[in-house]
Amino acid sequence: MNKSKINHFFNRLPLHLAVIGLMLIWVVPAIGLLVTSLRPVQAINTNGWWMTLAALPGEEEYNQLCADCHGTDGKDLPEADLSDPEVVGLFPRSIQLLAMLGQEIDGQPHMGTLPLPDAQQAADIATQMKRLAGIESQPRLTLNNYIDSMVGYRGTKNYLADCEAGVQASGINCNISDLLNPRGMGRAFVNSVIVTVPATILPILFAAFAGYAFAWLDFKGRYFLFAILVGLQVIPLQMTLVPISRMYAELGLNGSFLGVWLFHTGFGMPYSIYLMRNFLGTLPRDLFESAYLDGASHWTAFRMLALPLAMPAVASLAIFQFLWVWNDLLVALVFLGGTKPVMTYQISNMVSSLGAGWHLLTASAFLSMLLPMVIFFAFQRYFVRGMLAGAVKG
Ligand code: HEC
């Protein structure tokens, strides 16, 4: 490395450190969320997600005190095979285990020179024995939280265990219809998609028409209209909630998808029109003029020229509008509420009703991130372009 390269490296260092720092701030909690959502409830309640790979309770004690003679898998003494459910079943409670350990075998202390476990250790060892025998399996990671959150299970164990045991919590049928349980994230996912797709397509479609008109149609007052449109962007959404919901009440639109679509369309349009007009306005004038000379109508010019060329702008608008509507809680809460719960509503509901239900909360949060993440990775390059489009022309 020559001197200028070294200089360059050190000049860039603060920038790189800052980027790495920002990345960690974002990624570490996200990983914590993901890991937590995959852990069994008992484990979440015992210790933090970074302890996921630490020993399970009882494992250590067992290996210290019993593994010498019985082996780590409990099989070393065939006449006292601790991986045999029948042998382990003789000691349903740790008290019985302790009492047995205190008895002598052929005149020798059971554990030889090793000390007897205390009550807590005995309880943990009993858990480990049950695990070895397969009576009580406690995997480190499980998908149960996701299943429970999808079907809206609110019992004390988990959905699969309950259904296997033939117990049916309220609202649970133990068949495929549970995915549409109104309390579950499965149903909420469907509702979110129903809300988001039209609320993304409609404003952009109208904005494309309007943007073309503002850019290439000569009509009276278009600058004035455009100025009003730009001005409309400063109106905060919150201010319109009450008047619009009163209007919706008269029209019977409260609690309907149509109401939310209209609302999001209205609020998505000013900025979309603004961006589309600026984008279409930068296309070469000659292009359109020669098209008109060749006898193309405005509709043809829009369809064959403007729209294909504006694809980058449309794509980035679509991505941002999609994310905005998908993550929106306020509008969904006011206009849909519990009648057609969307994912954000369902999660906010869980926070209040479940308190410390971390297993369901984390799984639900991840479920709601799933589609945006897929979209992000699929259209990654449009994100950058979209931000640039906003920066250069906005
Ligand atoms: C010094 C060796 C040794 C150690 C240490 C030891 N065991 Fe044993 N264990 C034995 C022997 C030997 C037997 C009797 C086998 C037989 O039935 O002939 C036995 C039997 C058992 C049985 C079966 C008893 C029955 O009535 O069926 C259980 C359960 C058991 N041990 C649990 C434990 C546990 C739990 C620990 C650790 C806290 C432990 N042992 C530590 C040697 C040991």
Side-chain angles (χ1 to χ4, degrees):
M1 263 211 284
N2 59 31
K3 207 172 159 206
S4 79
K5 265 193 182 160
I6 295 176
N7 268 346
H8 184 73
F9 176 79
F10 279 106
N11 285 340
R12 282 298 186 97
L13 199 60
L15 177 71
H16 288 169
L17 288 181
V19 170
I20 291 175
L22 281 177
M23 195 198 72
L24 285 181
I25 289 176
W26 193 89
V27 165
V28 171
I31 293 179
L33 202 66
L34 178 64
V35 173
T36 305
S37 72
L38 288 169
R39 300 181 77 202
V41 195
Q42 304 92 323
I44 296 176
N45 292 337
T46 319
N47 53 23
W49 60 268
W50 52 90
M51 299 289 278
T52 303
L53 293 180
L56 296 168
E59 203 173 358
E60 213 173 305
E61 290 84 349
Y62 175 88
N63 285 340
Q64 264 170 17
L65 295 175
C66 321
D68 277 356
C69 302
H70 289 280
T72 44
D73 56 359
K75 286 183 183 154
D76 279 9
L77 289 176
E79 58 283 11
D81 182 353
L82 298 192
S83 64
D84 178 357
E86 235 170 79
V87 174
V88 177
L90 293 174
F91 310 96
R93 305 189 51 204
S94 56
I95 295 240
Q96 289 148 322
L97 183 67
L98 257 182
M100 186 278 295
L101 289 171
Q103 287 165 9
E104 298 188 334
I105 303 173
D106 303 335
Q108 299 285 325
H110 181 140
M111 301 191 42
T113 52
L114 290 168
L116 277 179
D118 63 28
Q120 179 60 47
Q121 282 173 325
D124 289 343
I125 289 173
T127 317
Q128 171 70 1
M129 280 168 56
K130 284 184 192 151
R131 212 177 286 135
L132 289 177
I135 298 174
E136 191 178 277
S137 67
Q138 196 199 35
R140 280 177 209 276
L141 298 176
T142 162
L143 281 177
N144 276 339
N145 302 336
Y146 282 88
I147 298 171
D148 291 0
S149 124
M150 289 280 278
V151 300
Y153 175 82
R154 296 281 196 283
T156 45
K157 284 179 160 173
N158 63 60
Y159 175 77
L160 291 182
D162 263 13
C163 280
E164 208 167 300
V167 189
Q168 286 190 3
S170 69
I172 301 279
N173 307 317
C174 290
N175 58 35
I176 194 82
S177 70
D178 287 342
L179 278 177
L180 290 180
N181 181 4
R183 291 162 83 182
M185 287 300 271
R187 173 71 157 267
F189 179 86
V190 176
N191 285 345
S192 274
V193 171
I194 297 178
V195 165
T196 312
V197 171
T200 305
I201 295 177
L202 287 178
I204 294 173
L205 185 72
F206 294 143
F209 291 148
Y212 178 87
F214 279 122
W216 300 110
L217 286 189
D218 249 335
F219 58 92
K220 234 182 161 179
R222 72 172 167 156
Y223 289 106
F224 179 66
L225 266 180
F226 191 64
I228 289 186
L229 242 155
V230 174
L232 278 179
Q233 289 184 50
V234 303
I235 295 182
L237 185 151
Q238 290 84 344
M239 238 171 67
T240 64
L241 285 178
V242 173
I244 290 195
S245 92
R246 288 179 71 172
M247 197 175 85
Y248 276 8
E250 272 167 33
L251 295 173
L253 282 180
N254 271 333
S256 75
F257 286 124
L258 182 62
V260 199
W261 293 337
L262 289 178
F263 194 92
H264 279 304
T265 305
F267 272 88
M269 270 195 326
Y271 179 71
S272 305
I273 295 178
Y274 173 70
L275 197 114
M276 285 307 285
R277 189 213 94 112
N278 283 348
F279 195 92
L280 291 173
T282 56
L283 297 178
R285 175 163 282 274
D286 306 350
L287 201 65
F288 286 89
E289 273 167 5
S290 53
Y292 300 144
L293 277 182
D294 285 344
S297 65
H298 278 301
W299 174 238
T300 321
F302 172 77
R303 230 170 18 115
M304 311 296 279
L305 274 181
L307 208 54
L309 287 172
M311 257 330 173
V314 170
S316 67
L317 269 181
I319 290 168
F320 284 108
Q321 176 74 8
F322 172 86
L323 287 182
W324 159 251
V325 177
W326 186 266
N327 291 330
D328 160 78
L329 173 63
L330 186 64
V331 178
L333 186 68
V334 172
F335 295 114
L336 287 179
T339 51
K340 298 188 171 77
V342 295
M343 286 182 121
T344 46
Y345 175 86
Q346 207 74 291
I347 293 176
S348 76
N349 223 13
M350 282 182 190
V351 177
S352 41
S353 69
L354 290 178
W358 286 112
H359 59 298
L360 292 182
L361 210 55
T362 49
S364 305
F366 240 84
L367 283 175
S368 79
M369 278 162 66
L370 218 56
L371 196 58
M373 286 214 287
V374 169
I375 300 229
F376 175 80
F377 286 115
F379 297 101
Q380 223 177 8
R381 60 205 174 103
Y382 289 110
F383 267 86
V384 183
R385 280 196 216 168
M387 280 186 247
L388 289 182
V392 177
K393 292 163 196 127

